[in-house]
Each structure stands twice: as C-alpha cells, then as structure tokens.
Amino acid sequence: MTLPPCATYGHAARRGRLLQALPALLAMQSPYHAGWVVLQLLGIISGLDSERAQIVRHLRALARARPIASVYIAGSADCGLLSVLHEAFGAGIAALDVRVADRSPVPLALCRQYAGAMGFAVTLDVHDLCAAPAPDGRRFDLVLTHSLLSFIAPDARAALVGHLAARLDVAGSLLLYQSVRAQHGVSLLAYAPRQVDSMVAASLAAQGTGARRLAMLTDHELELIVRAFCAAKTTHAVASVDELAGSARAAGLTGVRCEPLSARDLAGHRPATPESHYVKWMMQGQRAA
C-alpha cells in the first residue's frame, strides 16, 4: 500500500476521521470504545484534548534530549495518543518506527485508519499488556501510555510497569500519564445510577443542539450507547503518586520524576466519570545504560 504524503495534525482532521469511522466502529459492538468516541464527538468528555498541549511539550523535550527513532504506545482507547505523537513530531513521524498495542482490535482499527489517512506507517499489535514481553523482543526509545493503570487491578500494576520498562532500549524513556485519587474511598470505580442518568441527559442535550449532532444516531440509539459505555467502564483508582514512582524504580528505571499536569491547561477537562475528582500526573523514567 502506498501512503499519501504525511499530513500535519489538525483537530478538525482528527474529528473528521472519527466521524468517518463511527459507523464501522458501532458495528464492532465494543461498548466502551464506541461510547468513548461518541462522547468525545458530542463534547461530553474531553478525552486527551485538555492534556494534548502538555503531552506534546513533554514529547518534544524528550526528543531534544535524545533522538527518538521508535515509539511503543501501550494501550489505546482510540487514535488519541497516536494523534498526539503525530502533533509532536509533525511530518517527522513518518521516519519513526511506531507500534500501538492493545488487547482489543477495535481501537487499533481506528489507529490504522488515522495513520493511513495522515500518510505514515504504524504497526498494530493485539496484545495483553499484562503479559511479559519476549526477552529478545523489539526494544523502543520511548514507551508512551495514558490512563492504562486505571484498567489494571492494584496487585498487577507494578508488574505491568515492569513489562513496559522491559520494552525500553538502553537510555529509552517511559512516559506515563495517570490520574491519582488520594481520597477515593474504594479502589473499584463504577458509575452510580444517577451518574449514568446525568451522562445520558448531557448526551441527549448535546445531540439536540445540532452543533455536534451525530446524524447517524437516533436519540434512542444514543441513549443505549451511553448506557452501555457506562456499564462497561469500570476502573481501579490509583491512590498515590508514590505508587507510580515506586513501581518505576522497582522496574529499574532511573531519573524517575513525577509532576502534576498544569491546572490551567486542564481547566477545560471534562472527565469521563461525572463528579470525578483527581489530579492527573506525568511520570517519566529512563532505562539505565
């Protein structure tokens, strides 16, 4: 397959790709992934948009410090992280060896479509990220992930960070973004019935305004999609930033640092869980030489 010339990133282009992919995505009957895209398109959740500028800055800073030739994106709700990487590197992404891994083929299909439309190559890997990588497997200059730990049980998270670190080449960097809920109460996070109703009401209101209306969906179909998404989205709270740093150091990473994302830049963040209170952190570490 011959790819078109590599295009520059654009918010409108990404939205257009998601809209174009939506009918096929709905047919895949993956409640979480379909709902995630629908809610972004309606403007109910912000996805990565509110964090995009900060992640782009971090990626560019890493590239200035050490050349990056290969990137492993671990976990992908849609093509969001791939598009962030595209924005950070611009046309230079065409020179990168980029792999996106997820246990579900649904978001990977979105990544394939996005990369093909934008004119760069991407390798897709249907893979359980909790499984250890092969000892002689491919190593990368950068492993990038966002909110992945929320989908992993607390007793399995340290091992996952170890597996991510094992994919790094010498002096490669792990760049991990994660929400931390210091006052979460219980570890397992699920929607309460009133939160589901609130999400449905907000979605129907957005659908009714016309500005973001999804013409291929009736109100009844939209409500079913949103309720299915809420039922599918059960996550685990990460209670401490010390857990992030500790797991990175236990995995043998050096220069580990954690910092909260800018409250100013996150002012427009619309969380995927109503009334959700947390701080989003960036954690970075390097594999020792």
Side-chain angles (χ1 to χ4, degrees), residues 53-270:
Q54 296 186 75
I55 301 175
V56 166
R57 288 198 297 270
H58 294 154
L59 289 170
R60 289 174 177 170
L62 283 175
R64 287 193 298 269
R66 176 182 181 270
I68 293 176
S70 55
V71 181
Y72 185 89
I73 296 176
S76 185
D78 57 18
C79 57
L81 270 182
L82 185 62
S83 69
V84 171
L85 187 72
H86 182 198
E87 182 176 1
F89 284 86
I93 196 172
L96 299 182
D97 173 8
V98 180
R99 177 169 297 192
V100 186
D102 196 274
R103 64 184 179 184
S104 171
V106 178
L108 299 183
L110 292 173
C111 289
R112 177 187 293 109
Q113 184 189 61
Y114 179 86
M118 294 295 106
F120 62 88
V122 63
T123 300
L124 306 176
D125 185 10
V126 179
H127 178 73
D128 181 359
L129 293 165
C130 288
D136 57 349
R138 178 80 172 86
R139 298 294 181 263
F140 298 84
D141 297 320
L142 171 66
V143 172
L144 174 64
T145 188
H146 186 284
S147 298
L148 179 62
L149 298 186
S150 298
F151 294 88
I152 307 300
D155 60 358
R157 288 198 291 247
L160 172 62
V161 174
H163 297 335
L164 297 179
R167 294 187 180 278
L168 292 173
D169 203 350
V170 173
S173 294
L174 171 62
L175 190 56
L176 179 150
Y177 294 86
Q178 182 61 48
S179 57
V180 172
R181 308 166 191 261
Q183 303 294 328
H184 59 77
V186 295
S187 172
L188 199 63
L189 301 172
Y191 286 90
R194 62 181 178 79
Q195 291 176 317
V196 177
D197 291 341
S198 174
M199 188 76 88
V200 169
S203 300
L204 292 173
Q207 177 80 324
T209 63
R212 290 177 174 265
R213 183 173 180 82
L214 302 178
M216 71 284 292
L217 295 176
T218 66
D219 285 359
H220 178 65
E221 289 169 334
L222 175 59
E223 178 171 352
L224 291 178
I225 288 168
V226 174
R227 291 191 180 279
F229 168 83
C230 292
K233 188 180 184 296
T234 299
T235 57
H236 300 270
V238 177
S240 167
V241 71
D242 291 338
E243 177 188 341
L244 300 181
S247 60
R249 294 189 181 102
L253 299 184
T254 62
V256 175
R257 68 186 183 93
C258 296
E259 63 182 45
L261 299 193
S262 163
R264 181 187 64 187
D265 287 348
L266 286 175
H269 182 67
R270 297 177 300 284

Side-chain angles (χ1 to χ4, degrees), residues 36 43-52 54 146-147 179 181 261-273 276-280:
W36 181 261
I44 304 304
I45 61 176
S46 55
L48 287 176
D49 282 350
S50 60
E51 302 162 47
R52 177 176 293 272
Q54 296 186 75
H146 186 284
S147 298
S179 57
R181 308 166 191 261
L261 299 193
S262 163
R264 181 187 64 187
D265 287 348
L266 286 175
H269 182 67
R270 297 177 300 284
T273 305
S276 186
H277 303 288
Y278 58 80
V279 177
K280 187 65 65 68

